[in-house]
Amino acid sequence: METLDRKGQSPDLQVSVGPLLLRNPVLVASGTFGYGAEYADFVDVAALGGVVVKGISLEPRSGNPPPRVVETPCGMLNAIGLENMGVERFLVSRLPWLREQGATVIVNILGDSIEEYGMLARRLDGEPGIAALEVNISCPNVKRGGVAFGTVPEMAEAVTRAVRAGTDLPLIVKLSPNVTDIVEMARAVERGGADAVSLINTLTGMAIDIRTRRPRLANTIGGLSGPAIRPVALRMVWQVASMVSIPVIGIGGICGPEDALEFLLAGASAVEVGTANFVEPGVSERIIDGIREYLVEQEEGAVADIIGTLVVD
Amino acid sequence: MTKYQEKAKIVDLEEMGADVVRVRLRAERIAEAARPGQFVMVRFNEQLDPLLRRPFSLHSVDRRGRVDLLVKVVGRGTALLRTLQAGKDVLDLVGPLGNGFSWYAEGPVCLIGGGIGVAPLYYLASVLHEQQPERKIHILLGGRTGREVKVFANRFSWSGHEVAVATDDGSLGYHGLVPDLLADLLAGVCQVYGCGPYGMLRSVALACRQAGVPCQVSMETHMACGLGACLGCTIVAADGRYLHVCKDGPVFDAEKVAWKP
């Protein structure tokens, strides 16, 4: 459904995230949308700004033992443990479908070592149908590797540099909120050659069953997502967007168009919708429609014109 | 297979005892596509707390687009059900999801359910009976009390099936656990279908293995999306690998499951 302004024109939803041009600012977040085909009955993947696929490693990973998810107030904790089919099977069995649909595909990558990140970047470089890479340096669930990359600026910079050296694709680094100063992390990956940052990944959290006196997740701790984390995410996006020069993609508890617009006004050039995909499978397209309606109502011709227009008195 | 999201009008709400509510919904596209053993993800209202949908097995599906679910009221989400009105309110469903049961063209079968695990078995029995009215279908139902089990035992008997009941307190049928009732039947059936608490399913799986009778179990786990995206609904397979209940299941060959002691 097209929403038209008084001159009969539909607002321009196109945004650029560094070198990456998106048809609209609404992407779906890694780990919440599978490889796209899981949502084919509910969403036209080609209508989205982009599909950030489930995180891929060099080799397949089986992930954490169950239970892996538990609901918490206005959110959920997960400790999936980066289960994925590995890069080779992804390229053969999942990427072709996304390419045929005409989706803008952003491949989320993760590794245990700087070398592994570099190898993944080289492997994906030049594969047709990949628009960008998003580097996961912040997943809190795997006991080795992950945490240190995302929380130590020098490590984050080194990983970014290794990926940068392996590919010319637009490079987004996804930041962990579990740090003292996220602006410092953003600056570190900017130095490493990132074209953009996406934030936030999940906040580490925990829940306990008081009857059994055991943690509700087999992994004991997990990542908190959903609307519960949105104010924290918004604050961090605003701070990073104000302090670094590369573009920011906002993530964290976005459940509707109003939430997405908050992030855009705070300075995000695009947003990723995550946990809400589980609750409302078609939410991403509803958000696109809602942004368009807002632009008409506000008499704005282009979504790019409202990015970072937050007024702070 | 196509999945749908339907805002399904509540046609009827019936208290079945033991905090179980039978919800009858008009969900034509889901009803059209569904098969026994599949499930739907249900959202009880549009608030963000509780946030996630909850999975429910299809209890009955008819040709007029009506779908029955059995909902045990255990938390805040399911409690909302008692505030809703038939003929007025809707539930937001996503489905049909998962693989469903499979069956041989003929031969006697046994369906064994514990507590709310009776839910998918009624749908299965209906379809099996409809496809081959001469097929012998044994129904075994277990529960804590007779009050909890009786209403379902009656429904199966009215449909012409042979029903045996076991209760923890002995108030109806056999005084003990429902898998105990399997022993006498196993020699005469070619397939067992089970749904219920984990411990019950494990006993059923073990008994079937010893008797060499194939057994399908419908499993339950924590689940966020139901679509194969979150990878949260893991169970451990007999070979040590992980299976996902929403996509690989919810129905599994009992021999493929690693049964924890």
Side-chain angles (χ1 to χ4, degrees):
Chain A
M1 188 190 66
E2 288 283 275
T3 305
L4 305 179
D5 65 13
R6 281 180 302 186
K7 293 176 208 143
Q9 286 178 324
S10 183
D12 178 8
L13 292 188
Q14 194 166 280
V15 293
S16 58
V17 178
L20 179 64
L21 204 57
L22 303 173
R23 56 175 70 86
N24 64 61
V26 181
L27 303 96
V28 284
S30 180
T32 68
F33 208 74
Y35 301 102
E38 290 84 346
Y39 280 80
D41 290 331
F42 307 103
V43 175
D44 172 10
V45 292
L48 301 175
V51 175
V52 189
V53 299
K54 172 72 184 162
I56 296 286
S57 48
L58 221 40
E59 299 296 331
R61 293 187 185 214
S62 54
N64 287 329
R68 292 176 169 190
V69 292
V70 58
E71 180 159 343
T72 54
C74 289
M76 63 178 281
L77 287 166
N78 87 78
I80 307 301
L82 305 176
E83 174 181 344
N84 78 91
M85 60 179 60
V87 67
E88 295 306 330
R89 212 177 127 207
F90 164 72
L91 289 173
V92 172
S93 71
R94 294 297 188 271
L95 184 59
W97 183 85
L98 282 161
R99 199 162 48 212
E100 282 160 27
Q101 307 303 307
T104 300
V105 180
I106 299 172
V107 180
N108 182 287
I109 59 170
L110 57 104
D112 281 337
S113 64
I114 290 175
E115 294 71 32
E116 197 176 333
Y117 279 100
M119 286 163 76
L120 270 165
R122 284 194 295 279
R123 181 67 188 86
L124 293 167
D125 187 61
E127 283 289 333
I130 299 176
L133 300 186
E134 180 181 69
V135 188
N136 179 6
I137 58 168
S138 49
C139 193
N141 292 332
V142 175
K143 285 170 184 138
R144 32 188 195 147
V147 168
F149 290 129
T151 53
V152 181
E154 294 73 26
M155 291 292 284
E157 183 179 343
V159 169
T160 308
R161 211 175 284 288
V163 177
R164 179 78 292 166
T167 181
D168 294 326
L169 283 167
L171 188 57
I172 304 157
V173 178
K174 186 169 182 176
L175 301 181
S176 168
N178 306 305
V179 294
T180 309
D181 182 359
I182 198 161
V183 173
E184 190 189 354
M185 299 305 301
R187 285 187 173 133
V189 302
E190 184 182 15
R191 281 196 302 275
D195 295 306
V197 285
S198 55
L199 61 141
I200 59 174
N201 207 321
T202 56
L203 283 153
T204 46
M206 187 170 166
I208 293 171
D209 182 335
I210 60 168
R211 303 282 161 220
T212 63
R213 303 192 182 192
R214 285 179 167 77
R216 289 194 183 272
L217 294 172
N219 192 56
T220 305
I221 65 166
L224 180 64
S225 65
I229 71 168
R230 194 169 63 230
V232 178
L234 188 63
R235 183 269 293 178
M236 289 186 168
V237 163
W238 176 69
Q239 285 182 324
V240 170
S242 313
M243 303 296 278
V244 301
S245 55
I246 53 175
V248 175
I249 299 174
I251 320 169
I254 294 172
C255 296
E258 296 84 1
D259 306 338
L261 286 160
E262 282 195 72
F263 280 90
L264 297 175
L265 295 176
S269 300
V271 296
E272 292 179 18
V273 181
T275 299
N277 293 311
F278 301 153
V279 181
E280 186 188 341
V283 68
S284 48
E285 287 198 273
R286 181 168 72 81
I287 291 173
I288 297 168
D289 291 340
I291 291 174
R292 193 183 286 119
E293 283 166 28
Y294 171 85
L295 293 172
V296 170
E297 176 202 301
Q298 296 282 313
E299 300 184 0
E300 295 281 358
V303 71
D305 295 341
I306 69 160
I307 290 167
T309 56
L310 176 73
V311 180
V312 182
D313 294 321
Chain B
M1 231 168 16
T2 311
K3 309 174 192 83
Y4 302 96
Q5 182 177 8
E6 281 191 82
K7 301 280 166 80
K9 175 76 81 70
I10 300 172
V11 179
D12 186 47
L13 287 164
E14 190 182 344
E15 293 283 344
M16 307 296 271
D19 271 334
V20 173
V21 179
R22 190 188 67 184
V23 194
R24 177 160 292 170
L25 299 145
R26 183 161 297 283
E28 281 157 15
R29 288 175 298 167
I30 289 172
E32 173 80 29
R35 48 179 282 129
Q38 289 191 301
F39 67 100
V40 289
M41 293 295 280
V42 179
R43 197 176 179 195
F44 290 95
N45 68 8
E46 296 199 341
Q47 305 303 307
L48 296 177
D49 193 35
L51 180 68
L52 300 173
R53 290 169 183 270
R54 293 286 184 273
F56 293 92
S57 286
L58 297 169
H59 176 54
S60 176
V61 172
D62 74 14
R63 287 221 176 77
R64 290 182 288 168
R66 295 186 310 187
V67 168
D68 287 2
L69 307 177
L70 289 185
V71 178
K72 188 156 179 95
V73 177
V74 289
R76 288 178 303 136
T78 47
L80 286 167
L81 201 57
R82 288 191 168 140
T83 69
L84 301 177
Q85 284 178 28
K88 176 169 165 276
D89 291 309
V90 296
L91 288 185
D92 180 349
L93 310 185
V94 171
L97 305 172
N99 58 356
F101 295 108
S102 53
W103 51 87
Y104 295 109
E106 54 186 27
V109 297
C110 174
L111 281 51
I112 177 166
I116 194 79
V118 65
L121 302 181
Y122 188 76
Y123 183 16
L124 175 63
S126 311
V127 171
L128 290 178
H129 181 70
E130 194 179 277
Q131 289 188 353
Q132 207 202 29
E134 310 82 47
R135 188 199 295 263
K136 184 81 186 160
I137 303 174
H138 300 276
I139 311 287
L140 303 178
L141 298 180
R144 274 170 305 189
T145 67
R147 193 169 161 268
E148 181 186 337
V149 184
K150 193 161 192 224
V151 58
F152 299 108
N154 286 343
R155 286 190 77 190
F156 279 109
S157 326
W158 293 331
S159 311
H161 304 301
E162 200 164 299
V163 186
V165 169
T167 52
D168 295 351
D169 66 355
S171 56
L172 187 70
Y174 170 74
H175 188 173
L177 300 174
V178 67
D180 297 349
L181 301 176
L182 256 183
D184 294 340
L185 282 177
L186 280 174
V189 298
C190 63
Q191 176 80 57
V192 171
Y193 300 93
C195 185
Y198 187 86
M200 180 209 117
L201 292 181
R202 185 182 49 214
S203 302
V204 170
L206 208 68
C208 289
R209 177 186 297 170
Q210 279 162 0
V213 178
C215 174
Q216 293 175 26
V217 290
S218 175
M219 304 287 287
E220 197 176 29
T221 54
H222 292 273
M223 189 178 282
C225 71
L227 303 171
C230 74
L231 307 180
C233 59
T234 316
I235 61 165
V236 184
D239 63 5
R241 288 191 299 182
Y242 291 138
L243 298 168
H244 297 104
V245 171
C246 77
K247 265 206 142 157
D248 304 319
V251 178
F252 295 92
D253 176 345
E255 287 299 304
K256 298 255 168 73
V257 176
W259 296 101
K260 288 178 299 199

